[in-house]
Amino acid sequence: MGTRFRLFVQPPFEDARSSPEIVEVSSPLGSLTAGPADDRMFVVEPVGKISPYGVNHGPLGTPYMSFPPWTGKILDPANPDGGGNFDHLRPSMPGFEAAHVFGCVRFTLDVWERYLGQPLTWHFRDHYDRLEISILPQWDNAQYGYGFLEVGSQFEKDGRILPFSLDFDVIAHEVGHAIIFSVLGVPRPGTEYPEYLGFQEAFSDCVSLIAAMHFPSVIDNVLEETCGNLYRANRLARFSEFSPHRQIRSANNKRTMAEFTRGWKDEHELSQPLTGAVFDILVDIFHESLVARGLISRAVEDLSDIAEFDPTAEAPVQHAFDRAFGRNPDGFVEALLDARDIAGTYLAETLWALAPDFLDYGDVAETMLAVDRKESGGQFAGIITGNFGQRAIGELHAGAPLKGSEHRSHFHSARILLPRDHLKLPKMSYREKVLLSRSGIGQ
């Protein structure tokens, strides 16, 4: 028997009527302690921690590296109820955000450890037994790194502060980085191609997307909204959507590698051709499943491909899907769940077969084709080849990072730092060390 949490599938920032769903994660009932915490990870809400982990600057400006554990004061942890569950905590109660973050991380790991075929072994295992999950409400980002996962907030122009601790997509995305580092490892110095950085973001987006598809409400809402025509704008293709009209990035995009051959400034943008190709593969496998089940005709499936590029075909396609879905909605659910699990399995098997050094998108495409041959005898080879080829993946490659990218990129962020990297930094004077210690910043 697992442990219950209340999780928001979609953050409640725009709809006050939104309520969290009760889910059961794999943590055995009674195994979690205050935090929440277990033998693999724990949540803390630091008091007075003004800087995230990574490279920060001392009182006199000297850079220094900060890693877990946080040894300063913390807010009271979230406690389980008498039965060992955390679903008694409601959004307005102290401890809810801590429980929500832990529940999201555990839920995402549950999904992906099934696809990976084994529990995740943290890439920081040589130094830490457990992942420290920190909530830093005054920080404007979220990150996973060596021994930590930190979530801050989105600061709106109207003064609102939207905590990432309540955003499943953001949290699941950071778990995606944990999966990549734990399976692939960290590239050796000098072997990190630009497309490796894009792969980090694309795969992490896919981790979030596939994990979200394990909420029955997401599947139901997407199919009710689209009747199975997934190229129609819908929640499944959007990440970290704070309102119906704004999103951080989209899986359903038309971007190609031709846009990045002369360089790039942001690996989130660089990731979009790869994310888009994987989303298209997922949708095409779903359509093939619908055809195989007799739920739509081959003609309708062909027309849906045309509608991607011909707006005049959109209305006939939607009409056909509306009629087909109305006849057998349960069949559509089964087909989408099958496509979800095929995509999740292929992504996990691809990750196991890749290496971080000199990784580019062409490697991802070739490896996924090999996985398809192994898993299905090449059943989806045409779909995989066509969707990667449509975006010139493997044919064109990203150029060098452009000037200014260092301010928008994770290229030198805490995400890729290792403890040994402190040797590259200048030594801090004794006086600055004392000032830093007195300030409490370096806790």
Side-chain angles (χ1 to χ4, degrees):
M1 195 171 186
T3 304
R4 295 195 303 272
F5 287 83
R6 291 181 183 269
L7 303 185
F8 283 106
V9 185
Q10 190 74 356
F13 307 140
E14 294 296 328
D15 186 354
R17 299 168 298 177
S18 177
S19 59
E21 302 179 21
I22 295 178
V23 303
E24 184 176 298
V25 300
S26 66
S27 304
L29 191 60
S31 67
L32 301 183
T33 57
D38 63 14
D39 60 352
R40 296 183 64 193
M41 56 192 183
F42 63 97
V43 179
V44 294
E45 296 189 67
V47 175
K49 188 174 190 290
I50 62 175
S51 300
Y53 290 123
V55 176
N56 295 299
H57 290 83
L60 303 181
T62 305
Y64 70 94
M65 286 174 56
S66 173
F67 283 107
W70 169 255
T71 58
K73 294 181 180 179
I74 61 172
L75 297 181
D76 289 339
N79 287 289
D81 63 17
N85 293 300
F86 288 83
D87 61 332
H88 65 290
L89 295 170
R90 304 298 180 97
S92 60
M93 297 171 63
F96 176 78
E97 289 187 29
H100 190 271
V101 172
F102 186 98
C104 290
V105 173
R106 183 64 265 174
F107 185 94
T108 305
L109 287 175
D110 284 349
V111 168
W112 280 92
E113 286 176 342
R114 286 195 292 271
Y115 292 129
L116 292 168
Q118 65 183 57
L120 200 68
T121 301
W122 303 122
H123 87 290
F124 50 77
R125 59 189 176 276
D126 290 343
H127 291 86
Y128 306 106
D129 293 328
R130 299 192 296 171
L131 173 71
E132 179 181 300
I133 305 171
S134 301
I135 299 176
L136 304 179
Q138 299 305 314
W139 181 49
D140 64 348
N141 210 333
Q143 66 176 358
Y144 167 83
Y146 200 82
F148 60 86
L149 191 159
E150 298 180 294
V151 292
S153 304
Q154 174 84 11
F155 294 89
E156 298 289 85
K157 293 181 180 179
D158 60 9
R160 289 181 303 156
I161 299 177
L162 313 180
F164 289 142
S165 57
L166 299 182
D167 193 318
F168 176 85
D169 281 330
V170 167
I171 298 166
H173 176 93
E174 295 307 322
V175 174
H177 291 295
I179 293 171
I180 295 170
F181 282 125
S182 297
V183 173
L184 285 188
V186 180
R188 291 176 298 162
T191 69
E192 189 176 72
Y193 278 178
E195 286 167 41
Y196 168 80
L197 300 174
F199 171 78
Q200 278 271 355
E201 299 305 323
F203 187 88
S204 297
D205 278 349
C206 293
V207 164
S208 174
L209 184 151
I210 297 292
M213 291 179 73
H214 282 73
F215 288 92
S217 63
V218 169
I219 298 296
D220 292 343
N221 291 340
V222 166
L223 289 177
E224 288 173 8
E225 186 179 359
T226 67
C227 292
N229 181 18
L230 298 189
Y231 285 120
R232 182 178 180 179
N234 67 86
R235 187 250 181 263
L236 192 63
R238 297 187 291 263
F239 296 94
S240 301
E241 179 197 32
F242 298 133
S243 76
H245 308 294
R246 183 161 60 89
Q247 61 213 47
I248 292 179
R249 52 200 178 272
S250 173
N252 185 10
N253 67 76
K254 304 302 178 189
R255 306 194 75 167
T256 75
M257 293 305 296
E259 301 176 46
F260 302 98
T261 56
R262 296 185 178 181
W264 54 279
K265 286 190 175 183
D266 186 333
E267 68 259 37
H268 298 97
E269 291 187 4
L270 176 58
S271 74
Q272 290 203 346
L274 183 56
T275 306
V278 173
F279 181 78
D280 289 346
I281 290 168
L282 168 65
V283 173
D284 285 346
I285 292 174
F286 171 53
H287 287 174
E288 288 298 315
S289 183
L290 292 175
V291 172
R293 294 165 186 267
L295 298 175
I296 64 172
S297 68
R298 177 60 65 185
V300 170
E301 199 280 329
D302 291 341
L303 187 61
S304 70
D305 291 337
I306 295 172
E308 287 187 63
F309 306 97
D310 183 359
T312 63
E314 291 177 0
V317 167
Q318 190 60 58
H319 178 67
F321 271 91
D322 291 346
R323 293 180 61 189
F325 178 74
R327 289 192 295 265
N328 191 349
D330 289 343
F332 272 68
V333 171
E334 293 171 1
L336 186 52
L337 295 182
D338 281 351
R340 174 201 72 186
D341 288 338
I342 291 170
T345 298
Y346 279 28
L347 285 166
E349 290 298 319
T350 296
L351 190 64
W352 278 120
L354 291 171
D357 296 348
F358 307 110
L359 175 66
D360 64 32
Y361 292 172
D363 297 329
V364 178
E366 291 176 8
T367 304
M368 190 174 290
L369 279 170
V371 169
D372 179 54
R373 288 193 295 271
K374 172 189 170 187
E375 294 288 330
S376 72
Q379 180 181 356
F380 304 113
I383 287 174
I384 295 170
T385 301
N387 282 301
F388 281 124
Q390 190 170 292
R391 296 169 187 272
I393 287 174
E395 175 187 349
L396 301 178
H397 293 281
L402 300 173
K403 184 178 180 181
S405 62
E406 64 272 12
H407 302 297
R408 303 172 61 182
S409 169
H410 291 296
F411 194 77
H412 298 291
S413 76
R415 180 173 294 157
I416 61 174
L417 289 176
L418 299 174
R420 65 171 182 255
D421 293 331
H422 81 277
L423 298 173
K424 304 173 185 177
L425 299 178
K427 290 186 179 292
M428 189 177 289
S429 68
Y430 177 77
R431 176 169 176 265
E432 191 169 12
K433 288 180 181 179
V434 171
L435 292 173
L436 184 64
S437 176
R438 289 176 178 173
S439 71
I441 294 174
Q443 283 276 4

